[in-house]
Amino acid sequence: GKYVDYDVDIDNNPNDYDWKIFYNDKTTKRIFLIAENVVANTCTALNRSATSAKMASYSTYSWGWNSTPQYQSILSEIEELFWLKQWKASSNQSTQQAKFVSTLMNTNNWILLKDSRGYGEFVIGGPPIELWCESWNDSHDLKIYTHVDRWYGYTLSNSLTDQGYSTMRMTLSNTDELWCPSFNGVNGYWISSPSASSPDDSPMVCSKTEIGAYLSRENTVTGLRPVVCLYTDVSATWDATKNVYRLSK
């Protein structure tokens, strides 16, 4: 969860670092970044991106949907790249779940969060649950695994064996700040994946105390933490003098 010098300012302070390394996929040679915290609606790029995703802002840091959006086209390759593999919105386009997830996964919506140096190839509105778990499992002995309940969405457990509806969500410690930051006054952020049991088929939420929570689409306590996928030829080198990873090609 170290900072990286990705040059997209999302807190209106150009003199600090706003992004952290979320996961380094050594198989695909892709580095994924995540916003250090939920992003305020005063960030112009975030505001325009979320509006493209048919989302509404309910307070400075909270975003949701006033109604069910239309399905937005997503390439299957993007789902594979960002670890939305077990349940694909592109294969479930007629479902309510896919309509919400598609707005977060449609990279066209979040293009304003690409950097000027050309390191970021794609950006989405929040981490899919499989990517989130890959990141978590890379740093924790107690693993969290994803399972899919038919077309409905995901369940979670500490076992490779599906535990069914008894494990919709997993308890977290809010000291794990890469996954559970302070949240700037809201309670969590949207995950780009559906829960197998949600009140109105809205996506999962990562809250201060659990992953896999589900809230209504227009709740006022959930924010956005966009995720960037870097090009395969981008590397990150640690700068110990500044305590930040430096990106380069």
Side-chain angles (χ1 to χ4, degrees):
K2 303 292 187 181
Y3 282 100
V4 62
D5 67 343
Y6 186 71
D7 71 348
V8 175
D9 177 27
I10 52 176
D11 64 355
N12 297 316
N13 180 359
N15 298 315
D16 65 359
Y17 301 112
D18 301 336
W19 300 82
K20 290 183 173 184
I21 291 183
F22 191 56
Y23 182 61
N24 186 355
D25 188 338
K26 297 178 177 61
T27 301
T28 62
K29 298 181 179 179
R30 294 281 191 173
I31 298 173
F32 295 88
L33 313 180
I34 192 168
E36 64 170 341
N37 208 330
V38 291
V39 184
N41 61 12
T42 53
C43 170
T44 301
L46 188 282
N47 203 317
R48 291 179 179 175
S49 298
T51 301
S52 295
K54 306 305 179 184
M55 302 183 79
S57 180
Y58 301 123
S59 68
T60 303
Y61 291 99
S62 72
W63 292 87
W65 294 265
N66 287 331
S67 60
T68 302
Q70 294 294 313
Y71 177 81
Q72 297 185 1
S73 179
I74 319 169
L75 294 175
S76 180
E77 292 86 346
I78 294 296
E79 294 174 305
E80 286 285 330
L81 181 64
F82 280 99
W83 289 81
L84 189 69
K85 298 181 179 182
Q86 293 172 290
W87 181 98
K88 290 189 174 184
S90 61
S91 301
N92 294 279
Q93 297 183 21
S94 63
T95 66
Q96 297 286 90
Q97 294 93 328
K99 294 174 182 178
F100 288 105
V101 169
S102 72
T103 67
L104 295 170
M105 290 292 296
N106 180 357
T107 56
N108 291 329
N109 290 338
W110 310 94
I111 198 168
L112 293 177
L113 294 168
K114 292 178 65 173
D115 65 310
S116 62
R117 294 181 294 176
Y119 294 151
E121 185 171 11
F122 301 109
V123 186
I124 58 173
I129 188 59
E130 292 177 64
L131 176 61
W132 191 100
C133 288
E134 289 292 323
S135 171
W136 175 272
N137 292 346
D138 211 30
S139 302
H140 292 80
D141 292 329
L142 184 61
K143 311 300 184 185
I144 300 177
Y145 299 102
T146 58
H147 313 282
V148 170
D149 183 86
R150 293 182 294 174
W151 58 84
Y152 294 116
Y154 290 87
T155 61
L156 304 171
S157 75
N158 296 129
S159 169
L160 287 169
T161 303
D162 189 352
Q163 304 297 304
Y165 280 90
S166 62
T167 53
M168 287 298 181
R169 54 184 76 179
M170 303 296 295
T171 301
L172 304 175
S173 166
N174 59 12
T175 58
D176 295 308
E177 66 174 21
L178 177 61
W179 304 273
C180 303
S182 62
F183 291 132
N184 291 328
V186 295
N187 291 343
Y189 57 96
W190 292 109
I191 299 293
S192 298
S193 305
S195 168
S197 179
S198 176
D200 55 10
D201 301 321
S202 55
M204 280 183 171
V205 170
C206 180
S207 73
K208 296 176 181 178
T209 57
E210 60 186 7
I211 179 65
Y214 45 86
L215 297 170
S216 68
R217 57 175 165 74
E218 52 187 351
N219 79 83
T220 59
V221 293
T222 304
L224 287 165
R225 293 182 74 194
V227 170
V228 181
C229 177
L230 304 181
Y231 282 97
T232 54
D233 61 348
V234 175
S235 60
T237 304
W238 181 245
D239 181 347
T241 62
K242 298 294 186 180
N243 290 320
V244 67
Y245 276 100
R246 301 290 185 186
L247 298 178
S248 63
K249 286 190 176 182

